[in-house]
Structure formats: structure tokens, C-alpha cells
Amino acid sequence: MKKILYLLLIFSVSSCSAKEKGTLTHSYGNENSPSGKLLVVYCSVAGSTAEVADSIGKEIAAKGYYVQISPVKEVKSVDGFKAVVIGSAIRMGQVKGEIVDFVKDFKPALQTKSVSYFVVCMTLKDDTPENRKTVDAYVDPLRNELKPVDVGLFAGKMDYSKLGFFSRFIIKHMVKTPEGDFRKWNEIKGWAKDLKL
Ligand SMILES: Cc1cc2nc3c(=O)[nH]c(=O)nc-3n(C[C@H](O)[C@H](O)[C@H](O)COP(=O)(O)O)c2cc1C
């Protein structure tokens, strides 16, 4: 019985219901900008990481770059981009597998560019040194593939209405993560503004 429940939990949190599709595709700036093109690629489930990616892209575009913001599943090439910012939601203490696969798949091309990572998660709603250390370790599977020029660790958002039945049950009643938007937009924009490109 315990085994069945455990399998159910793994299945429910690793699969995405129709409700859990947080995607957004956007571009900012002039495609012929002399500063060059930059890609912000992300993997979000409920949408909050997508909004963080958009904010980062908008901020970088304000520095004069053309910025394309795309969900990881839409990116077929990184050619033509001088820098790539790669972001992921955290689920079950891990970055999304699609993002790790993206870094692996495009590693030869990414090695010639400025690459930075960011993650969005609920652990950082309490921004303590210990929680930062925990969240920083979530980035290790990406770091092990490719060393970034910078890493952004951001608090996220929890909205039960965006979750499927099983995820909602687990998050609300078992993990007991509170609802709320804990994203600090000034911190996110500040990171994007200071990003080494
Ligand atoms: C099923 C599930 C598992 C999650 N696991 C973690 C986790 O292990 N650690 C954490 O800090 N946040 C966790 N979160 C919170 C998300 O990282 C947070 O909602 C974040 O804003 C990214 O989500 P989004 O881009 O899918 O909206 C989890 C959320 C859900 C729904």
C-alpha cells in the first residue's frame, strides 16, 4: 500500500496536467541591434518562472540588446545569440529535466557563449543563508555540464489553482507550502541589469 502511494506521489508531481502549462514567448528590442542578440530560455510549470524570464529579458533589452524569450521546448538552435540565460522552476528539489537536457544538447554551441542560470523556487520565500545554500545546490546539475558567468536564485510563487488535483493535494496538505507570490521584482531586475554578457 505504502509503495502504491509513493508511486502515485512520484507520478503526480513529475507529470504535468493540462492546467500546469506555464509558457510565454516574447521578444524585446530591435533584431538588428548592434549590441547583439540574447536568448532567455526557461522551463516553467505553473507560469511564475516564465514571468521571471520575461522580466529578465525586458531588463536586458533595456540595455540595448535584442532579446528572445522562449520556453525550452520551442528552442531548436542557439545560433546567432551572443549570450544565453537559462532558467528553471524547482520541483522536488531539482531543476527541470528539460533544462538539463537543453544544456547537454547544446553544450558545444553554449561553450562559445556567455551562459548564466537562474532558478525560481519556494524555499527562498525565507531568504536565509542556509536556504540560499540549499537552492544554490539545485543548480549543480547545470554547473556540472557548463560553468555559468552568473547564477540568480529567486523566490517564486505558489498558486494552488494552477496545479492539477494530485499536485494541489500534496502541496497543500502534505508539504503544506503556503500560497502567495514571493517574487522580489527589484531583486530580479537588479540581477538582470548587472548580468555579465
Ligand atoms: C509539485 C511541486 C513541487 C515543488 N517542489 C519544490 C521544491 O522542491 N523546492 C522549492 O523550493 N520549491 C518547490 N516548488 C515551488 C516552485 O518551485 C515554485 O512554485 C516556483 O515559483 C516555480 O514554479 P512555476 O514556474 O512552475 O510557476 C514546487 C512546486 C510544486 C507545484
Side-chain angles (χ1 to χ4, degrees), residues 44-49 89-93 120-123 156-157 163:
S44 183
V45 186
S48 65
T49 305
I90 297 296
R91 292 254 159 164
M92 301 295 288
V120 183
C121 66
M122 283 300 278
T123 304
K157 179 181 174 181
L163 306 179

Side-chain angles (χ1 to χ4, degrees), residues 26-137:
H26 214 154
S27 64
Y28 291 104
N30 181 347
E31 212 166 336
N32 300 314
S33 163
S35 303
K37 293 183 183 182
L38 197 136
L39 175 67
V40 180
V41 53
Y42 68 88
C43 187
S44 183
V45 186
S48 65
T49 305
E51 289 167 356
V52 171
D54 191 59
S55 173
I56 289 170
K58 198 173 179 182
E59 202 60 36
I60 296 170
K63 295 201 271 191
Y65 295 93
Y66 169 81
V67 184
Q68 175 66 48
I69 300 135
S70 299
V72 68
K73 279 177 184 161
E74 281 181 15
V75 180
K76 305 291 174 232
S77 164
V78 294
D79 293 350
F81 295 104
K82 64 179 277 185
V84 183
V85 181
I86 302 169
S88 179
I90 297 296
R91 292 254 159 164
M92 301 295 288
Q94 292 182 325
V95 289
K96 295 288 292 173
E98 293 95 317
I99 280 293
V100 181
D101 289 346
F102 172 83
V103 175
K104 281 183 184 166
D105 292 348
F106 290 101
K107 195 166 165 177
L110 290 173
Q111 273 166 339
T112 66
K113 302 172 194 294
S114 156
V115 170
S116 33
Y117 301 131
F118 72 92
V119 293
V120 183
C121 66
M122 283 300 278
T123 304
L124 282 178
K125 77 177 174 53
D126 302 312
D127 196 347
T128 62
E130 200 184 12
N131 284 349
R132 277 214 158 245
K133 206 172 156 196
T134 301
V135 174
D136 191 59

Side-chain angles (χ1 to χ4, degrees), residues 38 55-56 58-63 65 85 114 116 149-152 154 185-197:
L38 197 136
S55 173
I56 289 170
K58 198 173 179 182
E59 202 60 36
I60 296 170
K63 295 201 271 191
Y65 295 93
V85 181
S114 156
S116 33
V149 293
D150 214 335
V151 173
F154 305 123
W185 294 108
N186 283 343
E187 197 181 295
I188 292 163
K189 286 177 191 170
W191 181 78
K193 204 170 168 189
D194 296 342
L195 204 53
K196 299 172 211 99
L197 299 169

